[in-house]
Amino acid sequence: YNGCQFPLISSSTTNNTLSRNIDCRLLAITQSHHISFLPSNNNDHNKKHKNKQVIYFYNLSLIELLDIVQFDYKQRKQIYSTQIYYNLIVETLLSEYTTFITSLYEYIFGYSSNDRNRQNIINQPMGSYKLYWYKICMLQPEISFIFRNYEILMNGADILSFLIIHSLEEDELGIVQESLEQILCVLLECLDILDNFIKSKIYKKLYYQKGYLERNEIINTLYKGIETSLMRIIMAMHNYLDQLELPQKNAQRLQSYLVE
């Protein structure tokens, strides 16, 4: 039982390709943004183990879905012709992004306007004993928690981009066009918040080691992954982008990627 009434393609089919059955029911119940990953005590091993299992199957479903939206014409057609499944995929993946963006924004600028103690510690000079222990005990665990699902974000961007580019020839109902602006805005916002993080004081305090600023591989990998997916969309939809009504900030960033 996967929490939804119907699979996308009936597994009773004799066609081997279709019987792979990318089961959106699995995607529906393994939305990791609904799972709490707050630090658990030693008596909470079962909950931690269950959470890891859900994330594991969530990643499996995304990898299978990515394979399908790239290479499986027949199942892509089923997604385009069944709006409830298309919407489920888009809403689930964009929810991951909005959660990530909100969490990273709060991490950079503070969880509340009254969080002066945190800012005071971050403003401590390099080499400060208080800053060192705050970084070890608070800043590093918090940022690791925020980026824990970065592979989900990368796979999600790939899935959305391939759904968009293949929709030009296969989406007869035009359902992808309804979500194009939303998808672009979220991807552009994610790049914006990553830029803000890289330029922030807290980033320097986290990764400044032995006289130079270290390069964080996870952040760079995520940034390049999202940019690659965004460029894939731009190249495919270049002739239609001027018809979109994006917020000014997003439109300006999108314009910076366009080649005259």
Side-chain angles (χ1 to χ4, degrees), residues 102-163:
T102 302
S103 299
L104 190 53
Y105 181 90
E106 292 176 343
Y107 182 81
I108 298 169
F109 300 106
Y111 295 95
S112 71
S113 58
N114 298 321
D115 195 0
R116 294 182 180 179
N117 183 54
R118 176 186 176 90
Q119 293 302 321
N120 288 338
I121 297 176
I122 292 172
N123 289 332
Q124 294 280 325
M126 293 293 187
S128 164
Y129 180 80
K130 185 181 291 187
L131 175 62
Y132 173 79
W133 283 109
Y134 191 77
K135 181 172 74 172
I136 296 298
C137 298
M138 295 294 294
L139 296 181
Q140 289 179 348
E142 286 175 2
I143 200 63
S144 296
F145 179 77
I146 291 172
F147 280 90
R148 69 196 183 280
N149 291 336
Y150 79 97
E151 291 178 338
I152 289 177
L153 297 175
M154 292 177 59
N155 288 334
D158 283 335
I159 290 168
L160 293 170
S161 66
F162 283 115
L163 281 173

Side-chain angles (χ1 to χ4, degrees), residues 12 170 224:
S12 62
E170 301 171 12
K224 292 301 182 182

Side-chain angles (χ1 to χ4, degrees), residues 88-99:
L88 174 63
I89 293 169
V90 172
E91 290 170 7
T92 300
L93 298 180
L94 292 186
S95 293
E96 294 288 348
Y97 274 94
T98 53
T99 300

Side-chain angles (χ1 to χ4, degrees), residues 17-76:
T17 302
L18 292 182
S19 64
R20 269 193 319 164
N21 188 9
I22 174 56
D23 194 344
C24 283
R25 298 174 301 172
L26 179 61
L27 189 61
I29 64 157
T30 53
Q31 301 179 49
S32 63
H33 58 276
H34 284 317
I35 301 172
S36 172
F37 288 91
L38 296 176
S40 304
N41 55 42
N42 293 332
N43 297 324
D44 206 10
H45 293 299
N46 290 336
K47 182 178 178 181
K48 290 172 67 177
H49 180 65
K50 183 177 180 180
N51 287 346
K52 289 181 180 179
Q53 284 184 320
V54 173
I55 293 297
Y56 172 76
F57 284 108
Y58 184 76
N59 274 296
L60 282 183
S61 68
L62 289 184
I63 292 171
E64 174 71 3
L65 183 57
L66 177 57
D67 182 60
I68 280 172
V69 297
Q70 281 186 270
F71 305 116
D72 196 324
Y73 164 79
K74 292 185 178 179
Q75 290 206 55
R76 281 199 310 266

